[in-house]
Each structure stands twice: as C-alpha cells, then as structure tokens.
Amino acid sequence: QVQLVESGGGLVQAGGSLRLSCTASGRAFSTSNIGWFRQAPGKEREFVAASTWAGDSRYTDSAKGRFTISRDNAKSTVYLQIDSLKPEDTAVYSCAASKGGSIAYYYWGQGTQVTVSS
C-alpha cells in the first residue's frame, strides 16, 4: 500500500515559479514510477511528467522547457518544478505511483491546487 501527499501549490502571479512535492509512504517508493498529472477546470486530466524507477524523466511536449521533475528516494519524494508560470497552468496537480515498475498508475494523491493570476 502506498499513500501519496502533494504539497506546494498556491496562488502565484504569471511568470513566477512553484515547486510541488509528492511524498509517499510505504517501502516500494524507490521501485515505483511516479507521475504528475493536472486537471484544469472543465478539462480532462492530463499527464505532465514522470520519474521512472530507473531514474529517467518523461515529459509531455507542452511541459518541456518549463517543468522539471526530480526525485529523492531517501525522502520518498518527487518534485515538480514549474517555472515561468502561465494562467493556463492553473489546475489541480496530482501525483500517482505505479505498482513496481509497471506502466499503469495505481495509487493517487488528493492533489494540490495551483492558481496562476495574470
């Protein structure tokens, strides 16, 4: 069983930065793929970035350049740095963990709200 808790969201002006954190409980963190997703009002949830258990990073095309994912296995935490924030980045950001190295995300956090004002 893995529980995920996101933090670091908030209200920020356009052009600012935020670092979101996803902290996991459970012993399987280091062998799990961790992904960040976001859901804007009235839109479907979309994939943003992922950190694989092997240490690789994956990004959706729209996230390349402004989003940086990193992980600290000793702290069971994955971070999502977002720079040059835009109003269209406003969304609830959630993290998810796979079971082992599978490609499917099984465990989900509650999410953290990011609001970018223009």
Side-chain angles (χ1 to χ4, degrees):
Q1 183 74 13
V2 176
Q3 291 184 325
L4 303 172
V5 178
E6 302 94 337
S7 61
L11 174 62
V12 64
Q13 288 188 333
S17 298
L18 281 175
R19 188 177 78 159
L20 309 182
S21 299
C22 171
T23 301
S25 63
R27 295 178 292 176
F29 180 83
S30 63
T31 59
S32 298
N33 300 318
I34 306 293
W36 278 100
F37 296 77
R38 68 182 183 182
Q39 186 166 20
K43 295 188 177 181
E44 292 186 354
R45 183 171 61 197
E46 64 174 351
F47 169 78
V48 177
S51 173
T52 73
W53 66 271
D56 298 322
S57 299
R58 301 281 186 269
Y59 299 92
T60 190
D61 285 345
S62 62
K64 293 178 181 176
R66 294 192 301 117
F67 292 70
T68 305
I69 192 169
S70 61
R71 71 192 290 162
D72 185 338
N73 287 334
K75 296 182 178 179
S76 296
T77 300
V78 170
Y79 304 98
L80 184 68
Q81 176 76 31
I82 314 174
D83 298 317
S84 302
L85 278 155
K86 304 175 181 180
E88 50 264 42
D89 293 321
T90 294
V92 175
Y93 286 72
S94 301
C95 63
S98 67
K99 275 189 174 180
S102 69
I103 61 173
Y105 292 101
Y106 190 81
Y107 304 101
W108 291 83
Q110 293 297 310
T112 185
Q113 176 71 48
V114 171
T115 303
V116 184
S117 62
S118 57

